[in-house]
Amino acid sequence: MVNTVLEVQNITKRFPGVIANDSISFKLNKGEIHALLGENGAGKSTLMNVIYGLYKPDEGQIFINEEAVEVQNPHDAIARGIGMVHQHFMLVPVFTVLENIVLGSETTNGPSLNLRSPRKDIQKIIDQFNLDIDLDTITEDLPVGIQQRVEIIKALYRQVDILVLDEPTAVLTPQEVDDLFKIMRSLVDQGKSIIFITHKLKEVIEIADQITVIRRGKVVGSAKPDEADQQSLATMMVGRDVDMHLHKKKAEPKEMILEVNNLVVKDANGNVEVDDVSFEIKAGEIVGIAGVQGNGQTELVNALVGMIPTESGTVKINGLPATNASPRKVTEMGSAHIPEDRLKDGRVLPFTIADNMVLNTYYLEPFAKSGIRQQEEIKEFAVDLVEKFDVRTPSAENTASSLSGGNHQKEIDAREFSRPINLLIAAQPTRGLDVGSIEYIHHRIIEKRDEGCAVMVVSTELDEIMELSDRIIVMFNGKIIDTVNADEITKEQVGLLMAGVTA
Amino acid sequence: MTKENKKKDDQIKERSFGIVGVIWKKISVPLTSIFLALFIGGLIMAISGSDPFEAYGALFQSAFGDINGWGRTLEKATPLIFSGLAVTFAFKAGLFNIGTQGQLLMGAITSAYLGFAITGLPAIIHIPLALLGGALAGALFGSIPGLLKTRTGAHEVITTIMLNYVAINITDYLSNGPLKEVSSSDVVARTPPIEASAEIPQVAGLPLGFFIAIIFAVFVWWILEKTTLGFEIRTAGLSGTAAKYAGIKVTAIIVITMVISGALAGLGGAVETQGIVGRYQPGFNTGLGFDGITVALLGKVHPIGNIFSALLIGSMKAGGAKMQFVADVTPEITNVVQALMLFFVAADRVVRWIIRQRETDDEGLTLTTGWGN
Ligand SMILES: Nc1ncnc2c1ncn2[C@@H]1O[C@H](COP(=O)(O)OP(=O)(O)OP(=O)(O)O)[C@@H](O)[C@H]1O
Ligand SMILES: [Mg+2]
């Protein structure tokens, strides 16, 4: 017997200039993992925010357990059994796991906080779903994947039956993804239902029971994972054939662009994050930096572009000293930097998209003349980039914060690709992008290489590293554990290196 | 192609936000706050046995009823515009300048000094010279918390509050010591009156200073919105890491911002000295700097908004006395109303709740800040 726990009917949500959801209908059955697929800006997050009570739909109806409801706000959503795990967690870093879970629904004994009976209840949930977590650890000490688990437990503790996971795998390591999938399975096996958003088609086929595809605010199709393959899903999503394999000619490395010698970087607490790293990148080659998140790649990039100071060692760009150069100096030496954390670095969310498009060139002609900003030039430039990179927005003068997750990324990519450069340092350049956009960005990266640019790609996606790189540097524990030519190594071998296993 | 795109872009923007809608969204919270504050003020009057309609009527009549009323209101509003601008400007860089009072005092006494100590200048030179002196004094005084913040990390709220006391004591000392007016009968601590050539005149019964203030409001808006410096200030104010990424020297921006903010406050003091008081006398400028905070917040920290909020607060100051005379309510009630306004704009969630405005629908605030947002 099929039991529909959540149904949305003809949901329409408009923003100024866009119809984010255009009469969307779909059903979530009990015990089902329902994957939502769609291009960047298709309207997936908007729909979830409507269901979770963050947005009021302009039209349409929501049914929970076949009863029409109006979800007023997230509180209301939770009370009706709907929980949502956001990608950026809303946890208090210095609280213990237990404190974070009860936060917002504390019980008290007189004036003091009662943690004993919640602890019992929470432990029961942990055992029931095999969540495996220590309730007394300080939250900030936990890896991202486990913090996400805290969010899931938090929702379960509030007795939700429906869990919305909006791109939960975007920042997880492959191992963490596996763990998450086990948890998701265990949840649906015991009667919970899950809406799962991702751009990784492989994951959809692996975990989903039902797939709904959205394009430009409309449902354009649905599929069962056993009848679908990645290629067909991609086509349905983007509305055209997507070439999932990259074709590139052999690299022809030329002059030296980036030279890094014995670089050491420490964090604020004095821990060594980058440990005596030396490598070089020549014009016309793509070097991929592979590694599990947290093995020094972030700090390496930040030190190279001048965001954090180095401890010792030297950096040269185009043969010129660039150790501890300021971000502006590095930019002016002809490099571009796509930062890893697209919401925090490299963007000002309340600014317009146009202003963000010139964030690091605002002071140069033609965007400014003798200290006066040239609004028209800026806007023209931005409108062009918006079109070229297919940033989905009704206007370049909308605030950057109105963009969808993937379009945030496209906006940064567009800006950094827009200048003449000879060094491109790209950290997670396709995180959160749909397959069509990934294809586009990958082509631009290869185009830059072929124009004679030195490219450094940092990615936790092994597939991306394998596809793009001419050479691969694997980092482990802050050190370079190996440097290999991409066509002489298999994905499995790189995977082993990433885990610190040397032959 | 490019031009076409841009035109399309413009059209979409125009279609999606009606101009009235945009303005309403910007000013709905301050407007509602004002009415709520007036309403509660009225309730208090009614409870204490006066007629609020009569009182507000007298206030309005006195502040806007005739040219003299307007003159008084504009006079009161003038220094408030400047101190409001000072707070606004700092705010854009993410700095909370509580020191406008001190900067204003330093500006006021400096312009008084230049006003009485220099003689024989034509007004066309003397007026701007004394104003400039006031601005410089404010700038210098404003630079201190800026430097302290960038050099030692001391928070500007703390240092500016402390520097207010420093300014009060310096000006008290100067006006009671080296700069004190010497006359046989005069025991009051104050400077001599400024030369007529330093006095800012009235035009058609209205204070010229007010129009200078408007010019500065537009100027501040222009700096913030149209110059690269303004862009740097706003970027630094919204995101330190983004500013760093953009190649902006955040420490330099902090100092420059505090210098300009201090100069604006100093100008407020100078305009007050040269346009109204005619000398420096302790106690005559009290609160003008602090009121800048109310003015700035009520004006939605927008330079042009400041003009309107300063007019409002100015009118209450101008009409308060008449209100007491006519309706027998203490003029302090205007302070209560002003405090309530500040309370409501600061607690804007309360107001939004009252007018049923969702934050999400309003300014595109990101609620879900995830990758998948
Ligand atoms: N607060 C907002 N104001 C204006 N427009 C918005 C707002 N939120 C979303 N949009 C627009 O609505 C559309 C759908 O956005 P949504 O975030 O739902 O996309 P998405 O499917 O989640 O995409 P992604 O995969 O990139 O995360 C986009 O065009 C976006 O620009
Ligand atoms: Mg999304």
Side-chain angles (χ1 to χ4, degrees):
Chain A
M1 189 199 82
V2 181
N3 189 344
T4 305
V5 287
L6 174 77
E7 177 170 3
V8 300
Q9 271 183 13
N10 305 318
I11 293 284
T12 296
K13 174 71 194 173
R14 298 184 196 90
F15 292 112
V18 252
I19 307 180
N21 289 168
D22 191 353
S23 191
I24 290 191
S25 304
F26 91 107
K27 282 184 186 174
L28 174 70
N29 293 327
K30 190 174 166 69
E32 174 180 82
I33 298 179
H34 195 131
L36 273 190
L37 266 182
E39 289 176 286
N40 296 124
K44 305 178 295 293
S45 299
T46 303
L47 182 64
M48 293 308 109
N49 285 340
V50 166
I51 292 173
Y52 195 53
L54 285 166
Y55 291 143
K56 200 175 152 65
D58 297 317
E59 283 153 38
Q61 270 282 2
I62 300 176
F63 297 86
I64 295 176
N65 295 322
E66 300 180 354
E67 182 192 330
V69 295
E70 212 172 293
V71 186
Q72 302 288 348
N73 51 46
H75 250 282
D76 196 22
I78 290 169
R80 295 176 190 282
I82 303 174
M84 180 152 165
V85 175
H86 300 289
Q87 193 62 56
H88 269 208
F89 316 127
M90 321 259 179
L91 300 171
V92 184
V94 296
F95 276 14
T96 65
V97 170
L98 179 64
E99 286 166 338
N100 262 310
I101 293 171
V102 298
L103 181 67
S105 58
E106 308 87 355
T107 49
T108 48
N109 289 332
S112 67
L113 188 62
N114 174 9
L115 285 176
R116 193 160 312 146
S117 62
R119 177 188 287 274
K120 260 196 234 142
D121 298 339
I122 293 166
Q123 197 57 52
K124 230 185 267 164
I125 295 172
I126 291 175
D127 296 340
Q128 186 186 352
F129 298 105
N130 285 321
L131 291 165
D132 185 29
I133 197 167
D134 176 10
L135 287 177
D136 297 311
T137 322
I138 301 293
T139 308
E140 64 185 347
D141 295 339
L142 295 170
V144 185
I146 308 290
Q147 291 195 21
Q148 191 172 62
R149 204 173 293 175
V150 177
E151 288 278 13
I152 293 175
I153 301 171
K154 203 170 165 151
L156 294 174
Y157 178 58
R158 283 158 184 72
Q159 299 176 333
V160 304
D161 298 313
I162 301 165
L163 205 55
V164 176
L165 303 173
D166 193 351
E167 292 190 46
T169 59
V171 291
L172 297 188
T173 64
Q175 180 58 46
E176 286 173 326
V177 172
D178 283 346
D179 292 343
L180 174 67
F181 283 0
K182 278 192 204 120
I183 291 169
M184 285 166 65
R185 266 287 148 233
S186 144
L187 289 172
V188 290
D189 284 347
Q190 300 186 53
K192 307 281 180 196
S193 316
I194 296 176
I195 302 177
F196 171 60
I197 298 178
T198 183
H199 286 293
K200 296 175 193 164
L201 303 173
K202 204 174 57 186
E203 294 178 353
V204 173
I205 290 175
E206 181 182 340
I207 190 85
D209 301 310
Q210 178 66 39
I211 304 167
T212 296
V213 181
I214 300 179
R215 189 185 334 135
R216 296 197 179 253
K218 289 197 172 85
V219 174
V220 291
S222 60
K224 292 268 182 199
D226 37 6
E227 301 156 1
D229 58 33
Q230 295 195 32
Q231 193 63 54
S232 65
L233 287 177
T235 307
M236 198 191 298
M237 219 173 101
V238 184
R240 64 174 166 89
D241 282 334
V242 180
D243 190 351
M244 313 252 300
H245 291 280
L246 209 53
H247 308 284
K248 63 182 204 296
K249 45 183 212 267
K250 211 169 154 43
E252 293 163 18
K254 297 187 185 74
E255 74 276 12
M256 190 71 75
I257 301 286
L258 177 68
E259 286 168 82
V260 179
N261 279 308
N262 307 101
L263 193 71
V264 177
V265 180
K266 290 187 178 169
D267 69 8
N269 301 323
N271 303 320
V272 177
E273 296 289 347
V274 177
D275 193 357
D276 195 22
V277 161
S278 305
F279 66 97
E280 54 202 33
I281 306 181
K282 297 197 172 100
E285 68 168 344
I286 299 175
V287 172
I289 310 278
V292 176
Q293 184 90 32
N295 275 282
Q297 308 97 309
T298 307
E299 290 78 8
L300 173 62
V301 167
N302 282 340
L304 289 181
V305 299
M307 291 295 283
I308 57 172
T310 62
E311 189 72 20
S312 62
T314 60
V315 180
K316 278 188 187 171
I317 297 175
N318 303 324
L320 301 168
T323 322
N324 285 324
S326 69
R328 173 155 302 173
K329 180 87 194 298
V330 176
T331 307
E332 288 183 342
M333 288 174 103
S335 44
H337 168 212
I338 296 169
E340 177 184 316
D341 188 339
R342 65 184 175 212
L343 290 183
K344 223 170 61 204
D345 303 339
R347 318 271 315 291
V348 183
L349 290 177
F351 278 4
T352 62
I353 294 163
D355 279 347
N356 275 291
M357 287 292 194
V358 296
L359 189 62
N360 44 15
T361 50
Y362 67 91
Y363 62 99
L364 297 173
E365 293 221 21
F367 308 129
K369 288 196 181 111
S370 14
I372 314 236
R373 307 188 71 222
Q374 305 297 312
Q375 243 85 341
E376 288 299 303
E377 303 279 351
I378 294 169
K379 193 167 167 198
E380 240 170 62
F381 173 76
V383 170
D384 250 12
L385 283 185
V386 161
E387 185 171 277
K388 245 196 238 156
F389 281 76
D390 190 24
V391 180
R392 298 274 166 89
T393 175
S395 162
E397 293 202 335
N398 270 17
T399 58
S401 59
S402 73
L403 290 176
S404 81
N407 282 301
H408 281 292
Q409 184 69 48
K410 286 201 230 169
E411 184 205 78
I412 295 187
D413 290 349
R415 179 184 69 212
E416 296 305 303
F417 277 108
S418 68
R419 314 189 284 278
I421 48 170
N422 52 28
L423 174 61
L424 171 64
I425 298 178
Q428 321 292 355
T430 61
R431 187 177 269 177
L433 292 193
D434 64 51
V435 279
S437 307
I438 292 177
E439 180 194 23
Y440 182 78
I441 297 296
H442 282 175
H443 280 128
R444 294 288 78 75
I445 290 179
I446 291 178
E447 196 176 275
K448 280 285 171 203
R449 178 197 78 167
D450 293 343
E451 285 168 7
C453 185
V455 182
M456 170 171 162
V457 175
V458 181
S459 178
T460 44
E461 290 297 323
L462 198 43
D463 289 330
E464 177 161 56
I465 293 280
M466 296 302 296
E467 291 241 311
L468 276 178
S469 312
D470 300 312
R471 279 193 300 137
I472 298 173
I473 290 175
V474 186
M475 283 188 78
F476 183 73
N477 253 338
K479 286 188 193 303
I480 291 182
I481 181 167
D482 206 352
T483 306
V484 288
N485 284 333
D487 48 14
E488 291 164 11
I489 192 166
T490 63
K491 192 174 151 186
E492 285 66 34
Q493 286 168 313
V494 178
L496 282 176
L497 286 170
M498 283 167 64
V501 181
T502 43
Chain B
M1 186 65 196
T2 333
K3 290 269 184 222
E4 249 167 52
N5 273 345
K6 219 174 66 56
K7 208 142 128 232
K8 200 172 73 197
D9 208 67
D10 279 333
Q11 283 169 354
I12 290 172
K13 214 169 139 60
E14 246 170 51
R15 228 182 307 131
S16 27
F17 314 90
I19 186 77
V20 178
V22 172
I23 293 183
W24 167 246
K25 274 180 182 170
K26 287 226 159 90
I27 64 172
S28 53
V29 170
L31 271 190
T32 315
S33 302
I34 291 165
F35 281 112
L36 278 173
L38 288 174
F39 177 73
I40 297 176
L43 275 186
I44 296 173
M45 288 185 229
I47 289 168
S48 50
S50 323
D51 180 353
F53 294 103
E54 198 183 4
Y56 284 139
L59 190 150
F60 188 83
Q61 181 64 31
S62 165
F64 299 111
D66 54 18
I67 188 81
N68 291 334
W70 274 98
R72 272 196 306 278
T73 299
L74 299 194
E75 213 163 64
K76 296 282 181 198
T78 304
L80 297 180
I81 295 179
F82 280 108
S83 54
L85 287 175
V87 174
T88 298
F89 197 81
F91 203 85
K92 293 288 180 187
L95 300 166
F96 213 9
N97 182 6
I98 312 284
T100 40
Q101 183 65 43
Q103 294 140 18
L104 186 141
L105 292 180
M106 299 304 278
I109 199 161
T110 308
S111 99
Y113 173 73
L114 295 173
F116 73 74
I118 304 174
T119 55
L121 284 181
I124 189 83
I125 296 175
H126 204 175
I127 294 172
L129 182 76
L131 283 176
L132 186 68
L136 281 178
L140 211 63
F141 211 65
S143 71
I144 300 170
L147 288 168
L148 285 174
K149 188 181 177 89
T150 53
R151 294 286 154 84
T152 68
H155 200 283
E156 76 278 3
V157 168
I158 310 287
T159 52
T160 51
I161 288 176
M162 294 197 298
L163 282 163
N164 282 336
Y165 292 102
V166 175
I168 290 171
N169 284 308
I170 291 177
T171 49
D172 276 358
Y173 163 74
L174 289 175
S175 54
N176 199 19
L179 304 186
K180 186 170 187 233
E181 180 178 39
V182 236
S183 73
S184 51
S185 64
D186 210 333
V187 288
V188 185
R190 61 183 190 186
T191 69
I194 59 174
E195 295 284 304
S197 57
E199 280 175 15
I200 300 174
Q202 306 249 323
V203 273
L206 300 175
L208 182 65
F210 178 76
F211 301 100
I212 300 177
I214 288 188
I215 292 171
F216 270 91
V218 175
F219 182 57
V220 164
W221 172 84
W222 181 81
I223 292 182
L224 287 171
E225 297 299 323
K226 303 289 176 194
T227 68
T228 50
L229 175 66
F231 186 76
E232 289 168 345
I233 289 171
R234 288 183 293 127
T235 306
L238 289 167
S239 163
T241 49
K244 199 169 172 189
Y245 173 94
I248 295 165
K249 284 216 178 61
V250 179
T251 49
I253 291 298
I254 289 173
V255 177
I256 293 172
T257 303
M258 282 308 294
V259 164
I260 297 178
S261 173
L264 288 165
L267 268 175
V271 170
E272 179 80 353
T273 296
Q274 293 170 249
I276 299 160
V277 186
R279 54 155 52 98
Y280 184 84
Q281 183 161 352
F284 271 54
N285 302 302
T286 311
L288 293 180
F290 291 121
D291 285 341
I293 298 168
T294 314
V295 169
L297 291 181
L298 212 52
K300 272 238 149 180
V301 283
H302 189 290
I304 307 302
N306 269 286
I307 300 176
F308 295 99
S309 52
L311 275 175
L312 175 75
I313 306 287
S315 70
M316 298 202 311
K317 286 182 189 294
K322 187 66 175 272
M323 193 168 81
Q324 175 178 33
F325 184 69
V326 172
D328 193 28
V329 291
T330 79
E332 276 76 33
I333 195 80
T334 59
N335 289 343
V336 174
V337 172
Q338 197 181 317
L340 284 167
M341 287 176 187
L342 183 60
F343 171 80
F344 283 119
V345 280
D348 66 337
R349 270 162 198 272
V350 179
V351 177
R352 279 179 205 280
W353 175 75
I354 291 171
I355 57 177
R356 303 277 187 275
Q357 193 178 79
R358 282 200 195 201
E359 254 165 305
T360 40
D361 294 346
D362 181 24
E363 281 156 351
L365 263 180
T366 23
L367 282 167
T368 54
T369 50
W371 297 106
N373 130 36

